[in-house]
Amino acid sequence: MGLTPLVADSASNLLAARTQMGFTLGFHIVLACFGVAFPAMMLIAEYRGRKRGDADALLLARRWSKAVAVLFAVGAVSGTVLSFEFGLLWPGLMDRFGDAFGIAFAIEGIFFFCEAIFIAIYIYGWDRLSGWAHFWTGVPIAISGIGGALSVIAANAWMNTPAGFTLGPDGRVESVQPVDVLFNTSTFHEFVHMWIAAYIVTGFLVASVYAVAMLRGRRDRYHRLGFLIPFTVAAIAAPIQLVVGDAAARDVYNDQPIKFAAMECVYETGDDQTEYIGGICTDGEVKGGIGLPGVDSLLADFSTSAVVKGLNSVPPDDRPPTPTTIHLAFDAMVGLGFAMAGLAAWFGFAWWRRRDLPTTRWFLRGAAIAGVAAVIALECGWMVTEIGRQPFIVHGFMRTADAVTPAQGIWWVFGVTVAIYVVLGVVAGVVLRGMAKSWRVQDGEPEGPYGPPPPSTPEPAR
Amino acid sequence: MSKADLAAAILWIGVTLYAVFGGADFGAGMWDLLAGGERGEPARGQIDRSIAPVWEANHVWLIFVLVVLWTAFPPAFSAVMTTLYIPLALAALGIVLRGSGFAFRHALPGPARAPATRVFGVSSLLTPFFMGTVVGAIASGEVPADGGGDPTSTWTGLLPLVTGALFVCVCAYVSAIFLVRDAGATGDEELRRYFVTRALIAAVVAGAAALGGVLALHADARYVYDRLTSEGLPLIVLSGTCGAAALALLARGATRGIRPLAVGAMVAVVWGFFVAQFPYMLPTSLTISAAAGASATLTSVIVVFCVAIAVVVPSLGLLYALSQRRALEQ
């Protein structure tokens, strides 16, 4: 009797902490994509503007830099929240594994510094540096975005395939080989997959804004260019992602077989496994899915005789708790990935034949939806990798339940967090829309959070 | 000096930089809050010009401190986080509101700016207060080495609350000093005097809070108090001297030399604390060497720090030079 409420409490704490972490990470990951990829698109626009004397491209670069600043500011605070949460929600993880897990974040700090400083330099530089010198001050932003992503992904990959440490008798990390920690088995495929995803998400999202504008009749050269630059980047990235994602899934098959089993709803180990598209995972059969006999084995190792491990090969306590979620998230990601690659192919075909966008409005409608689709695919992919690792926080070494804080009241914190993030998201949206609107009516440049105030603009009357 | 001590010193350098630069940004938010409505617009403009280019970079020092703490001293990080989670969560909340309030107040349309400004101001006041309660709680020896200390009584004692108040005052003080210099550089004499008045008031209040802090240390944190008044005494004397000299220069209307003196006073106190806590990470339950993580990790942290300094200092210099430069003729 005495123990029951305690146990119930700790289970509810785990769910609360996972929900809180999942929500804040799910918010941050979108901003992180912008941090990685938007500066590159801004630089492409500036490069084009300077190389060809293209005033529209230069204007786009200047305006995008302000959106980059707003998104970076929000991303910096939502990232700070995550740093606190590592300790506030998962003190067990940090206590035992902080000196292995943390190294990648220490390195990420350098990239974060660079990004923060050079975004400010780039924005201040618009009126203070001439020509190509300004362009080059933007390059460190794009590079540090990539470096930062690599560092954070290395930490996440380490949780999936931990390496480079030995444990002492107290269960804490005793010695560390930093290079092995950073470049563990999953670092490479996770990084490449996420890096390309950042270009797809940002590219399609930014392009979708201009696609909507074009559907509303603003089809001037400026809007066309604003659509073409990000869309082209995403359209190049989308087909590459199919190949990269396929390779990543095979790495998961080799290195994290139970995650793979959950992704594919495989219960019994064996060869000639059926690939299910959709459906509910239940032990024994997959309900409601389309089954393609042998295809799962074929995809996993190029042969129907490839053996795929099943969920039943490990004790129930070691299986991810919600295989259906993982399976459906995986299928949604792959499906949306193919749809986006299809849109990219349509665009590529039209461009190859006529050096122009497909003329039908359906193409622009598709492009307008692609931004949202990319975000959904991103979130699904992230859910696959995180939920698929459960019930472990450090795979094979520490259970998430053993890492969670005993502190009470996480659900309250979660409620407050949701309220604040909703406001934050809405205000960020209002700000970006407001910027776009003021650009449209051309009544002067709006300010960004870094920029110098515009010269002699009178404060609006109250 | 052991490798763990060196890593602790690096952690403390991060703390110092965040205290000075991050603290000045928080203080600027407080002055923004106190500037009033219409009348405060010139002061608010100066605050914007001063912190807009650097606030994000200054904020990164906090991330640096958190990361170095959990990477180099994992048990200390987890002990602090499982005990002081309430003030830490409130500080995190303050950071979110401060950052977004400041970022949005520029970019929002007219009528929405006022609430964003208020959010920026209030959270700039509350965040350093809660950070101060965390530091005070650690100094008072209330954080057990294996964590899980009382979630409320640990940080609601006299010393944590006084330390929180001291943090607020010091942020306001150092910020006012920075703003005096920045307003002086633009040649706006009226604005300079505006901030001189505030710097003087903040200096007196911060001095009083510091004295209160010493008394509270005496009552609640004997280990730290004893070392602060022996090994740490030279640094405290140095801090007092710098502070008094800055005050004298300020009162005489000087512009040069105030900023280094004020920063010197602050840095000396921060390092006085380091000396007073030594060799503990959490006085007197967890030493630096017991909290230290794996040796190769400490080496990594030291290397990362050197790279960070080599990268950050020149780029911050470039940003600073650029933000001071006039716009090019189009």
Side-chain angles (χ1 to χ4, degrees), chain A residues 85-96:
Chain A
E85 281 176 349
F86 283 135
L88 292 172
L89 300 175
W90 314 108
L93 167 70
M94 306 317 283
D95 186 24
R96 279 182 59 196

Side-chain angles (χ1 to χ4, degrees), chain A residues 258-263 267 311 314-324 326 387-392:
Chain A
I258 299 308
K259 182 184 281 181
F260 189 80
M263 281 153 59
Y267 279 85
L311 289 166
V314 293
D317 279 359
D318 290 355
R319 297 174 202 158
T322 51
T324 303
I326 300 165
I387 303 177
R389 192 188 58 243
Q390 303 301 327
F392 292 101

Side-chain angles (χ1 to χ4, degrees), chain B residues 30 164-174 202 205-207 209:
Chain B
M30 297 176 208
L166 177 64
F167 269 43
V168 170
C169 298
V170 170
C171 289
Y173 167 66
V174 76
V205 178

Side-chain angles (χ1 to χ4, degrees), chain B residues 236-282:
Chain B
I236 297 306
V237 171
L238 176 67
S239 172
T241 314
C242 285
L247 204 60
L249 282 181
L250 202 58
R252 280 180 39 199
T255 45
R256 294 177 69 91
I258 302 174
R259 196 158 56 157
L261 283 171
V263 169
M266 200 166 162
V267 172
V269 170
V270 174
W271 281 86
F273 232 87
F274 181 75
V275 171
Q277 280 210 186
F278 198 81
Y280 288 103
M281 199 78 211
L282 304 173

Side-chain angles (χ1 to χ4, degrees), chain A residues 70 72-74 76-77 80-81 83-84 86-88 91 94-95 98-99 102-103 105-107 109-110 112-114 116-118 120-121 124-125 127-130 172-176 178 405-408 416 420 424 427-428 430-431 435 447-451 453 459-460 462, chain B residues 38 41 49 52-53 55-57 59-64 66-67 70-71 74-75 77-78 81-82 85 88-89 92-93 95-97 99-100 102-104 106-110 113-114 293-297 300 304 307-308 311-312 315-316 318-319 322-323 325-328 330:
Chain A
V70 169
F72 183 75
V74 182
V77 296
T80 305
V81 168
S83 315
F84 274 89
F86 283 135
L88 292 172
M94 306 317 283
D95 186 24
D99 41 352
I103 296 173
F105 287 102
I107 295 168
I110 301 174
F112 188 20
F113 259 126
C114 278
I117 296 170
F118 277 93
I121 289 176
Y124 272 79
D127 299 319
R128 290 170 169 80
L129 289 170
S130 50
R172 284 188 172 132
V173 166
E174 194 171 59
S175 72
V176 168
T405 180
Q408 292 302 301
V416 173
I420 290 177
L424 216 60
V427 175
V430 168
V431 162
M435 280 183 172
E447 298 170 52
Y450 298 88
E459 194 67 17
R462 300 198 177 183
Chain B
E38 207 80 358
E41 285 310 325
R49 284 192 294 280
W55 70 283
E56 197 81 87
H59 168 76
V60 182
W61 287 115
L62 172 67
I63 308 292
F64 178 84
L66 286 173
V67 169
W70 87 49
T71 307
F77 178 73
S78 123
M81 284 285 175
T82 51
Y85 54 86
L88 283 164
L93 174 69
I95 286 162
V96 172
L97 295 178
S100 32
F102 186 72
F104 288 151
H106 293 271
L108 278 169
R113 286 184 181 192
S295 172
T297 302
S300 310
V304 163
V307 175
V311 168
V312 168
S315 28
L316 267 180
L318 174 61
L319 171 58
L322 212 57
S323 67
R325 195 196 279 187
R326 266 170 215 275
L328 289 173
Q330 291 295 321

Side-chain angles (χ1 to χ4, degrees), chain B residues 179-230:
Chain B
L179 288 164
V180 166
R181 193 244 164 231
D182 290 351
T186 62
D188 187 334
E189 185 53 25
E190 196 183 332
L191 200 57
R192 195 188 70 84
R193 255 185 268 132
Y194 174 97
F195 285 117
V196 166
T197 313
R198 276 147 188 82
L200 286 170
I201 296 169
V204 173
V205 178
L211 277 180
V214 171
L215 293 176
L217 273 179
H218 180 76
D220 284 358
R222 275 319 280 259
Y223 180 83
V224 174
Y225 176 83
D226 287 344
R227 280 189 57 99
L228 194 64
T229 49
S230 51

